[in-house]
């Protein structure tokens, strides 16, 4: 039974990441719950699907010090930049590699955190993935959902000590 489940999960994540490939316009709104501040950001996000055995996934597995026989199912190379909608200020261009092994998502460097990021995930249905990870005492829960072929929604809830600190909502449109 476990092998059937793992084959289904591998198929779901591969399809999800393949459908995520392309250039996205991402409008994001961040709500800081304790003080009520709202920040709006617009990002352009480029995603390229990575199949099993790609050099990027091999390097990611080495970065996470996984066993040599641990082969990531698939992943994505993700590049983004952002513009603060309020100020018009542009941020720096960033990138990362993410890779899937079982129900674990491994992320490469280029995040503003001191250690590598690892998230667990499951699918609520074939078009909705739920990820969660803990970093520096904070819990990050994220849901990504495809709405048709050209749109996705994302919502992230960040909690610390069981208290919700921030909600981030994203509306993403495939532009190419």
């Amino acid at each position: 039974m476990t092998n059937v489940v793992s084959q289904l999960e591998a198929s779901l994540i591969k399809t999800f990441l393949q459908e995520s490939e392309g250039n996205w316009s991402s409008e994001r709104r961040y709500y800081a719950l304790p003080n009520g501040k709202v920040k709006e950001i617009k990002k352009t996000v480029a995603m390229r699907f990575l199949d099993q055995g790609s050099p990027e996934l091999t390097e990611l597995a080495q970065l996470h010090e996984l066993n040599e026989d641990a082969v990531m199912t698939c992943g994505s190379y993700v590049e983004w930049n952002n513009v603060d909608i309020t100020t018009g200020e542009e941020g720096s261009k960033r990138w990362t590699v993410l890779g899937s092994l079982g129900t674990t998502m491994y992320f490469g460097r280029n995040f503003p955190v001191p250690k590598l990021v690892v998230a667990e995930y499951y699918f609520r249905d074939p078009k909705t993935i739920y990820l969660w990870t803990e970093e520096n005492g904070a819990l990050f829960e994220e849901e990504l959902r495809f709405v048709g072929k050209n749109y996705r929604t994302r919502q992230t809830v960040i909690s610390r000590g069981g208290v919700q600190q921030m909600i981030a909502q994203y509306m993403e449109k495939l532009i190419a």
Side-chain angles (χ1 to χ4, degrees):
M1 181 69 173
T2 303
N3 193 30
V4 172
V5 171
S6 63
Q7 288 177 341
L8 176 62
E9 290 163 350
S11 175
L12 287 171
I13 192 64
K14 185 172 183 175
T15 299
F16 194 88
L17 293 177
Q18 285 173 328
E19 290 179 0
S20 296
E21 188 170 52
N23 295 314
W24 296 84
S25 172
S26 180
E27 295 182 15
R28 300 169 180 215
R29 181 172 284 157
Y30 299 90
Y31 300 92
L33 298 178
N35 63 23
K37 288 186 178 179
V38 177
K39 184 171 186 169
E40 293 182 334
I41 301 279
K42 185 171 184 171
K43 293 188 178 205
T44 56
V45 180
M47 298 186 72
R48 180 173 45 90
F49 177 75
L50 301 172
D51 215 340
Q52 186 175 45
S54 73
E56 295 94 338
L57 292 179
T58 301
E59 185 177 317
L60 181 62
Q62 292 169 349
L63 185 64
H64 279 271
E65 300 178 348
L66 299 178
N67 292 333
E68 285 186 24
D69 60 339
V71 179
M72 293 188 184
T73 307
C74 59
S76 287
Y77 174 84
V78 184
E79 202 172 84
W80 68 93
N81 64 2
N82 60 310
V83 175
D84 186 312
I85 293 175
T86 308
T87 65
E89 183 178 323
E90 289 194 35
S92 61
K93 193 172 202 176
R94 302 189 72 119
W95 63 271
T96 195
V97 173
L98 56 97
S100 172
L101 180 61
T103 57
T104 303
M105 188 70 67
Y106 295 87
F107 294 84
R109 294 251 182 233
N110 205 20
F111 282 101
V113 293
K115 64 180 188 173
L116 292 168
V117 175
V118 177
E120 295 300 317
Y121 73 87
Y122 71 89
F123 281 87
R124 291 192 177 167
D125 60 63
K127 299 292 182 184
T128 308
I129 188 172
Y130 177 79
L131 297 102
W132 69 96
T133 189
E134 291 188 46
E135 178 64 39
N136 292 334
L139 174 65
F140 296 79
E141 300 172 272
E142 183 168 45
E143 178 186 272
L144 290 87
R145 173 181 286 168
F146 272 99
V147 180
K149 291 223 175 252
N150 297 319
Y151 297 93
R152 311 191 302 189
T153 61
R154 291 173 61 187
Q155 180 165 292
T156 305
V157 177
I158 303 169
S159 305
R160 191 175 296 279
V163 177
Q164 291 75 23
Q165 299 293 311
M166 180 179 287
I167 297 173
Q169 295 179 319
Y170 309 54
M171 173 59 186
E172 301 180 328
K173 179 182 178 183
L174 186 61
I175 52 178

